[in-house]
Every structure is written in C-alpha cells, then in structure tokens.
PDB file of all heavy atoms in Angstrom:
ATOM      1  N   ASP A  27     306.019   3.158  19.994  1.00 93.00           N
ATOM      2  CA  ASP A  27     304.560   3.058  19.908  1.00 93.00           C
ATOM      3  C   ASP A  27     303.991   4.454  19.684  1.00 93.00           C
ATOM      4  O   ASP A  27     304.666   5.450  19.861  1.00 93.00           O
ATOM      5  CB  ASP A  27     303.988   2.473  21.196  1.00 93.00           C
ATOM      6  CG  ASP A  27     304.361   1.024  21.421  1.00 93.00           C
ATOM      7  OD1 ASP A  27     304.506   0.305  20.402  1.00 93.00           O
ATOM      8  OD2 ASP A  27     304.508   0.599  22.575  1.00 93.00           O
ATOM      9  N   PRO A  28     302.708   4.535  19.281  1.00 92.00           N
ATOM     10  CA  PRO A  28     302.076   5.846  19.147  1.00 92.00           C
ATOM     11  C   PRO A  28     302.084   6.556  20.508  1.00 92.00           C
ATOM     12  O   PRO A  28     302.049   5.898  21.559  1.00 92.00           O
ATOM     13  CB  PRO A  28     300.646   5.499  18.725  1.00 92.00           C
ATOM     14  CG  PRO A  28     300.756   4.161  18.053  1.00 92.00           C
ATOM     15  CD  PRO A  28     301.827   3.441  18.817  1.00 92.00           C
ATOM     16  N   PRO A  29     302.174   7.903  20.524  1.00 89.00           N
ATOM     17  CA  PRO A  29     302.122   8.786  19.357  1.00 89.00           C
ATOM     18  C   PRO A  29     303.472   9.030  18.682  1.00 89.00           C
ATOM     19  O   PRO A  29     303.515   9.531  17.577  1.00 89.00           O
ATOM     20  CB  PRO A  29     301.607  10.085  19.948  1.00 89.00           C
ATOM     21  CG  PRO A  29     302.159  10.088  21.347  1.00 89.00           C
ATOM     22  CD  PRO A  29     302.131   8.668  21.789  1.00 89.00           C
ATOM     23  N   ASP A  30     304.592   8.618  19.332  1.00 88.00           N
ATOM     24  CA  ASP A  30     305.911   8.892  18.744  1.00 88.00           C
ATOM     25  C   ASP A  30     306.079   8.145  17.424  1.00 88.00           C
ATOM     26  O   ASP A  30     306.631   8.675  16.462  1.00 88.00           O
ATOM     27  CB  ASP A  30     307.028   8.495  19.715  1.00 88.00           C
ATOM     28  CG  ASP A  30     307.143   9.451  20.885  1.00 88.00           C
ATOM     29  OD1 ASP A  30     306.846  10.653  20.688  1.00 88.00           O
ATOM     30  OD2 ASP A  30     307.524   9.021  21.982  1.00 88.00           O
ATOM     31  N   HIS A  31     305.642   6.869  17.383  1.00 91.00           N
ATOM     32  CA  HIS A  31     305.761   6.099  16.156  1.00 91.00           C
ATOM     33  C   HIS A  31     304.992   6.759  15.027  1.00 91.00           C
ATOM     34  O   HIS A  31     305.478   6.864  13.899  1.00 91.00           O
ATOM     35  CB  HIS A  31     305.245   4.691  16.376  1.00 91.00           C
ATOM     36  CG  HIS A  31     305.143   3.873  15.099  1.00 91.00           C
ATOM     37  ND1 HIS A  31     303.979   3.800  14.375  1.00 91.00           N
ATOM     38  CD2 HIS A  31     306.060   3.158  14.437  1.00 91.00           C
ATOM     39  CE1 HIS A  31     304.196   3.044  13.325  1.00 91.00           C
ATOM     40  NE2 HIS A  31     305.438   2.633  13.336  1.00 91.00           N
ATOM     41  N   THR A  32     303.808   7.248  15.328  1.00 89.00           N
ATOM     42  CA  THR A  32     302.961   7.880  14.288  1.00 89.00           C
ATOM     43  C   THR A  32     303.642   9.126  13.740  1.00 89.00           C
ATOM     44  O   THR A  32     303.675   9.343  12.525  1.00 89.00           O
ATOM     45  CB  THR A  32     301.608   8.252  14.886  1.00 89.00           C
ATOM     46  OG1 THR A  32     301.006   7.085  15.464  1.00 89.00           O
ATOM     47  CG2 THR A  32     300.685   8.810  13.808  1.00 89.00           C
ATOM     48  N   ARG A  33     304.182   9.932  14.621  1.00 87.00           N
ATOM     49  CA  ARG A  33     304.865  11.163  14.207  1.00 87.00           C
ATOM     50  C   ARG A  33     306.086  10.865  13.330  1.00 87.00           C
ATOM     51  O   ARG A  33     306.254  11.451  12.254  1.00 87.00           O
ATOM     52  CB  ARG A  33     305.293  11.935  15.461  1.00 87.00           C
ATOM     53  CG  ARG A  33     306.161  13.140  15.215  1.00 87.00           C
ATOM     54  CD  ARG A  33     306.418  13.903  16.512  1.00 87.00           C
ATOM     55  NE  ARG A  33     306.975  13.036  17.554  1.00 87.00           N
ATOM     56  CZ  ARG A  33     308.263  12.776  17.683  1.00 87.00           C
ATOM     57  NH1 ARG A  33     309.129  13.305  16.823  1.00 87.00           N
ATOM     58  NH2 ARG A  33     308.710  12.001  18.654  1.00 87.00           N
ATOM     59  N   LEU A  34     306.916   9.948  13.753  1.00 88.00           N
ATOM     60  CA  LEU A  34     308.111   9.592  12.995  1.00 88.00           C
ATOM     61  C   LEU A  34     307.750   8.976  11.634  1.00 88.00           C
ATOM     62  O   LEU A  34     308.274   9.347  10.603  1.00 88.00           O
ATOM     63  CB  LEU A  34     308.970   8.623  13.789  1.00 88.00           C
ATOM     64  CG  LEU A  34     309.674   9.193  15.027  1.00 88.00           C
ATOM     65  CD1 LEU A  34     310.184   8.062  15.911  1.00 88.00           C
ATOM     66  CD2 LEU A  34     310.809  10.101  14.614  1.00 88.00           C
ATOM     67  N   ARG A  35     306.809   8.049  11.660  1.00 89.00           N
ATOM     68  CA  ARG A  35     306.463   7.332  10.428  1.00 89.00           C
ATOM     69  C   ARG A  35     305.829   8.288   9.413  1.00 89.00           C
ATOM     70  O   ARG A  35     306.087   8.179   8.214  1.00 89.00           O
ATOM     71  CB  ARG A  35     305.528   6.164  10.742  1.00 89.00           C
ATOM     72  CG  ARG A  35     305.266   5.271   9.533  1.00 89.00           C
ATOM     73  CD  ARG A  35     304.326   4.137   9.869  1.00 89.00           C
ATOM     74  NE  ARG A  35     304.035   3.293   8.723  1.00 89.00           N
ATOM     75  CZ  ARG A  35     304.657   2.156   8.455  1.00 89.00           C
ATOM     76  NH1 ARG A  35     305.576   1.678   9.273  1.00 89.00           N
ATOM     77  NH2 ARG A  35     304.316   1.463   7.372  1.00 89.00           N
ATOM     78  N   THR A  36     305.003   9.206   9.890  1.00 87.00           N
ATOM     79  CA  THR A  36     304.326  10.158   8.976  1.00 87.00           C
ATOM     80  C   THR A  36     305.339  10.973   8.205  1.00 87.00           C
ATOM     81  O   THR A  36     305.214  11.191   6.986  1.00 87.00           O
ATOM     82  CB  THR A  36     303.386  11.074   9.766  1.00 87.00           C
ATOM     83  OG1 THR A  36     302.381  10.273  10.400  1.00 87.00           O
ATOM     84  CG2 THR A  36     302.719  12.074   8.830  1.00 87.00           C
ATOM     85  N   LEU A  37     306.385  11.414   8.898  1.00 84.00           N
ATOM     86  CA  LEU A  37     307.393  12.234   8.244  1.00 84.00           C
ATOM     87  C   LEU A  37     308.264  11.413   7.278  1.00 84.00           C
ATOM     88  O   LEU A  37     308.542  11.824   6.154  1.00 84.00           O
ATOM     89  CB  LEU A  37     308.273  12.913   9.287  1.00 84.00           C
ATOM     90  CG  LEU A  37     307.583  13.999  10.116  1.00 84.00           C
ATOM     91  CD1 LEU A  37     308.433  14.400  11.291  1.00 84.00           C
ATOM     92  CD2 LEU A  37     307.295  15.233   9.221  1.00 84.00           C
ATOM     93  N   VAL A  38     308.693  10.218   7.707  1.00 86.00           N
ATOM     94  CA  VAL A  38     309.615   9.430   6.894  1.00 86.00           C
ATOM     95  C   VAL A  38     308.899   8.755   5.742  1.00 86.00           C
ATOM     96  O   VAL A  38     309.482   8.559   4.670  1.00 86.00           O
ATOM     97  CB  VAL A  38     310.305   8.369   7.784  1.00 86.00           C
ATOM     98  CG1 VAL A  38     311.260   7.533   6.946  1.00 86.00           C
ATOM     99  CG2 VAL A  38     311.069   9.047   8.915  1.00 86.00           C
ATOM    100  N   SER A  39     307.619   8.440   5.909  1.00 86.00           N
ATOM    101  CA  SER A  39     306.894   7.724   4.856  1.00 86.00           C
ATOM    102  C   SER A  39     306.793   8.484   3.554  1.00 86.00           C
ATOM    103  O   SER A  39     306.572   7.893   2.478  1.00 86.00           O
ATOM    104  CB  SER A  39     305.493   7.348   5.347  1.00 86.00           C
ATOM    105  OG  SER A  39     304.715   8.517   5.589  1.00 86.00           O
ATOM    106  N   LYS A  40     306.971   9.801   3.606  1.00 81.00           N
ATOM    107  CA  LYS A  40     306.909  10.587   2.378  1.00 81.00           C
ATOM    108  C   LYS A  40     307.998  10.236   1.389  1.00 81.00           C
ATOM    109  O   LYS A  40     307.889  10.539   0.209  1.00 81.00           O
ATOM    110  CB  LYS A  40     306.962  12.082   2.731  1.00 81.00           C
ATOM    111  CG  LYS A  40     305.783  12.566   3.570  1.00 81.00           C
ATOM    112  CD  LYS A  40     305.951  14.009   4.018  1.00 81.00           C
ATOM    113  CE  LYS A  40     304.801  14.453   4.894  1.00 81.00           C
ATOM    114  NZ  LYS A  40     304.962  15.842   5.395  1.00 81.00           N
ATOM    115  N   ALA A  41     309.052   9.607   1.885  1.00 81.00           N
ATOM    116  CA  ALA A  41     310.161   9.192   1.007  1.00 81.00           C
ATOM    117  C   ALA A  41     309.885   7.845   0.344  1.00 81.00           C
ATOM    118  O   ALA A  41     310.668   7.411  -0.515  1.00 81.00           O
ATOM    119  CB  ALA A  41     311.446   9.121   1.812  1.00 81.00           C
ATOM    120  N   PHE A  42     308.792   7.171   0.740  1.00 85.00           N
ATOM    121  CA  PHE A  42     308.530   5.820   0.222  1.00 85.00           C
ATOM    122  C   PHE A  42     307.129   5.681  -0.379  1.00 85.00           C
ATOM    123  O   PHE A  42     306.541   4.612  -0.360  1.00 85.00           O
ATOM    124  CB  PHE A  42     308.729   4.805   1.348  1.00 85.00           C
ATOM    125  CG  PHE A  42     310.111   4.761   1.897  1.00 85.00           C
ATOM    126  CD1 PHE A  42     310.448   5.491   3.023  1.00 85.00           C
ATOM    127  CD2 PHE A  42     311.091   4.034   1.264  1.00 85.00           C
ATOM    128  CE1 PHE A  42     311.733   5.466   3.534  1.00 85.00           C
ATOM    129  CE2 PHE A  42     312.404   4.001   1.764  1.00 85.00           C
ATOM    130  CZ  PHE A  42     312.711   4.715   2.890  1.00 85.00           C
ATOM    131  N   THR A  43     306.603   6.778  -0.909  1.00 88.00           N
ATOM    132  CA  THR A  43     305.285   6.713  -1.535  1.00 88.00           C
ATOM    133  C   THR A  43     305.411   6.015  -2.890  1.00 88.00           C
ATOM    134  O   THR A  43     306.506   5.948  -3.490  1.00 88.00           O
ATOM    135  CB  THR A  43     304.726   8.129  -1.754  1.00 88.00           C
ATOM    136  OG1 THR A  43     305.601   8.848  -2.670  1.00 88.00           O
ATOM    137  CG2 THR A  43     304.638   8.888  -0.449  1.00 88.00           C
ATOM    138  N   PRO A  44     304.304   5.488  -3.429  1.00 92.00           N
ATOM    139  CA  PRO A  44     304.366   4.847  -4.731  1.00 92.00           C
ATOM    140  C   PRO A  44     304.949   5.739  -5.842  1.00 92.00           C
ATOM    141  O   PRO A  44     305.709   5.263  -6.705  1.00 92.00           O
ATOM    142  CB  PRO A  44     302.881   4.493  -5.027  1.00 92.00           C
ATOM    143  CG  PRO A  44     302.293   4.320  -3.668  1.00 92.00           C
ATOM    144  CD  PRO A  44     302.967   5.341  -2.802  1.00 92.00           C
ATOM    145  N   SER A  45     304.629   7.026  -5.810  1.00 92.00           N
ATOM    146  CA  SER A  45     305.137   7.929  -6.863  1.00 92.00           C
ATOM    147  C   SER A  45     306.634   8.122  -6.727  1.00 92.00           C
ATOM    148  O   SER A  45     307.364   8.160  -7.741  1.00 92.00           O
ATOM    149  CB  SER A  45     304.432   9.289  -6.777  1.00 92.00           C
ATOM    150  OG  SER A  45     304.621   9.890  -5.510  1.00 92.00           O
ATOM    151  N   VAL A  46     307.140   8.232  -5.483  1.00 89.00           N
ATOM    152  CA  VAL A  46     308.583   8.377  -5.267  1.00 89.00           C
ATOM    153  C   VAL A  46     309.306   7.133  -5.732  1.00 89.00           C
ATOM    154  O   VAL A  46     310.329   7.189  -6.439  1.00 89.00           O
ATOM    155  CB  VAL A  46     308.867   8.675  -3.809  1.00 89.00           C
ATOM    156  CG1 VAL A  46     310.398   8.597  -3.542  1.00 89.00           C
ATOM    157  CG2 VAL A  46     308.386  10.060  -3.418  1.00 89.00           C
ATOM    158  N   VAL A  47     308.812   5.951  -5.362  1.00 93.00           N
ATOM    159  CA  VAL A  47     309.457   4.696  -5.728  1.00 93.00           C
ATOM    160  C   VAL A  47     309.381   4.473  -7.244  1.00 93.00           C
ATOM    161  O   VAL A  47     310.346   4.017  -7.858  1.00 93.00           O
ATOM    162  CB  VAL A  47     308.837   3.530  -4.961  1.00 93.00           C
ATOM    163  CG1 VAL A  47     309.395   2.194  -5.486  1.00 93.00           C
ATOM    164  CG2 VAL A  47     309.119   3.662  -3.457  1.00 93.00           C
ATOM    165  N   SER A  48     308.255   4.827  -7.851  1.00 94.00           N
ATOM    166  CA  SER A  48     308.141   4.713  -9.289  1.00 94.00           C
ATOM    167  C   SER A  48     309.214   5.549  -9.999  1.00 94.00           C
ATOM    168  O   SER A  48     309.787   5.106 -11.011  1.00 94.00           O
ATOM    169  CB  SER A  48     306.734   5.139  -9.726  1.00 94.00           C
ATOM    170  OG  SER A  48     306.603   5.054 -11.149  1.00 94.00           O
ATOM    171  N   ALA A  49     309.456   6.742  -9.480  1.00 93.00           N
ATOM    172  CA  ALA A  49     310.491   7.597 -10.077  1.00 93.00           C
ATOM    173  C   ALA A  49     311.865   6.998  -9.884  1.00 93.00           C
ATOM    174  O   ALA A  49     312.791   7.298 -10.692  1.00 93.00           O
ATOM    175  CB  ALA A  49     310.413   8.985  -9.466  1.00 93.00           C
ATOM    176  N   LEU A  50     312.061   6.168  -8.868  1.00 93.00           N
ATOM    177  CA  LEU A  50     313.363   5.559  -8.602  1.00 93.00           C
ATOM    178  C   LEU A  50     313.644   4.343  -9.476  1.00 93.00           C
ATOM    179  O   LEU A  50     314.805   3.891  -9.599  1.00 93.00           O
ATOM    180  CB  LEU A  50     313.467   5.143  -7.122  1.00 93.00           C
ATOM    181  CG  LEU A  50     313.674   6.240  -6.093  1.00 93.00           C
ATOM    182  CD1 LEU A  50     313.567   5.653  -4.690  1.00 93.00           C
ATOM    183  CD2 LEU A  50     315.037   6.899  -6.282  1.00 93.00           C
ATOM    184  N   ARG A  51     312.607   3.746 -10.061  1.00 96.00           N
ATOM    185  CA  ARG A  51     312.780   2.490 -10.768  1.00 96.00           C
ATOM    186  C   ARG A  51     313.843   2.562 -11.884  1.00 96.00           C
ATOM    187  O   ARG A  51     314.656   1.635 -12.013  1.00 96.00           O
ATOM    188  CB  ARG A  51     311.451   1.982 -11.321  1.00 96.00           C
ATOM    189  CG  ARG A  51     310.466   1.535 -10.238  1.00 96.00           C
ATOM    190  CD  ARG A  51     309.174   1.012 -10.818  1.00 96.00           C
ATOM    191  NE  ARG A  51     309.366  -0.315 -11.372  1.00 96.00           N
ATOM    192  CZ  ARG A  51     309.098  -1.459 -10.728  1.00 96.00           C
ATOM    193  NH1 ARG A  51     308.598  -1.424  -9.505  1.00 96.00           N
ATOM    194  NH2 ARG A  51     309.296  -2.616 -11.297  1.00 96.00           N
ATOM    195  N   PRO A  52     313.863   3.610 -12.721  1.00 97.00           N
ATOM    196  CA  PRO A  52     314.919   3.672 -13.737  1.00 97.00           C
ATOM    197  C   PRO A  52     316.328   3.665 -13.119  1.00 97.00           C
ATOM    198  O   PRO A  52     317.248   3.030 -13.682  1.00 97.00           O
ATOM    199  CB  PRO A  52     314.615   4.970 -14.484  1.00 97.00           C
ATOM    200  CG  PRO A  52     313.168   5.211 -14.268  1.00 97.00           C
ATOM    201  CD  PRO A  52     312.883   4.718 -12.882  1.00 97.00           C
ATOM    202  N   ARG A  53     316.491   4.357 -12.012  1.00 96.00           N
ATOM    203  CA  ARG A  53     317.792   4.390 -11.358  1.00 96.00           C
ATOM    204  C   ARG A  53     318.156   3.014 -10.802  1.00 96.00           C
ATOM    205  O   ARG A  53     319.303   2.553 -10.918  1.00 96.00           O
ATOM    206  CB  ARG A  53     317.795   5.424 -10.247  1.00 96.00           C
ATOM    207  CG  ARG A  53     319.084   5.527  -9.451  1.00 96.00           C
ATOM    208  CD  ARG A  53     320.282   5.811 -10.318  1.00 96.00           C
ATOM    209  NE  ARG A  53     321.510   5.870  -9.542  1.00 96.00           N
ATOM    210  CZ  ARG A  53     322.717   5.644 -10.033  1.00 96.00           C
ATOM    211  NH1 ARG A  53     322.868   5.353 -11.330  1.00 96.00           N
ATOM    212  NH2 ARG A  53     323.800   5.728  -9.279  1.00 96.00           N
ATOM    213  N   ILE A  54     317.173   2.301 -10.218  1.00 96.00           N
ATOM    214  CA  ILE A  54     317.415   0.946  -9.718  1.00 96.00           C
ATOM    215  C   ILE A  54     317.866   0.053 -10.853  1.00 96.00           C
ATOM    216  O   ILE A  54     318.819  -0.733 -10.734  1.00 96.00           O
ATOM    217  CB  ILE A  54     316.166   0.400  -9.029  1.00 96.00           C
ATOM    218  CG1 ILE A  54     315.771   1.253  -7.831  1.00 96.00           C
ATOM    219  CG2 ILE A  54     316.380  -1.044  -8.595  1.00 96.00           C
ATOM    220  CD1 ILE A  54     314.436   0.870  -7.201  1.00 96.00           C
ATOM    221  N   ALA A  55     317.170   0.160 -12.018  1.00 97.00           N
ATOM    222  CA  ALA A  55     317.522  -0.668 -13.166  1.00 97.00           C
ATOM    223  C   ALA A  55     318.921  -0.347 -13.676  1.00 97.00           C
ATOM    224  O   ALA A  55     319.675  -1.251 -14.049  1.00 97.00           O
ATOM    225  CB  ALA A  55     316.497  -0.463 -14.281  1.00 97.00           C
ATOM    226  N   THR A  56     319.290   0.908 -13.674  1.00 97.00           N
ATOM    227  CA  THR A  56     320.627   1.316 -14.108  1.00 97.00           C
ATOM    228  C   THR A  56     321.700   0.720 -13.217  1.00 97.00           C
ATOM    229  O   THR A  56     322.729   0.195 -13.695  1.00 97.00           O
ATOM    230  CB  THR A  56     320.761   2.844 -14.134  1.00 97.00           C
ATOM    231  OG1 THR A  56     319.824   3.373 -15.066  1.00 97.00           O
ATOM    232  CG2 THR A  56     322.154   3.264 -14.518  1.00 97.00           C
TER     233      THR A  56
END
C-alpha cells in the first residue's frame, strides 16, 4: 500500500510508458 506502493510503482512504471511500449512493438512482431 502507499507510500511504499507509490514509490515502487513510480520507478518501475517508467519501463511501461506508451512511448517505451511503442518502441517495443517492432521487436514483439519480429
């Protein structure tokens, strides 16, 4: 629960932004 959840999620969520996932789409297709 917050605040630990907020701290962890804020750091990890940077790996799952729309721009990051968009860049991964060609690799997923391959």
Side-chain angles (χ1 to χ4, degrees):
D27 291 329
D30 287 329
H31 172 267
T32 306
R33 172 175 55 84
L34 290 165
R35 188 180 178 99
T36 298
L37 290 167
V38 180
S39 64
K40 296 175 182 177
F42 298 96
T43 63
S45 60
V46 170
V47 173
S48 179
L50 286 173
R51 291 182 76 96
R53 178 58 181 155
I54 299 173
T56 297

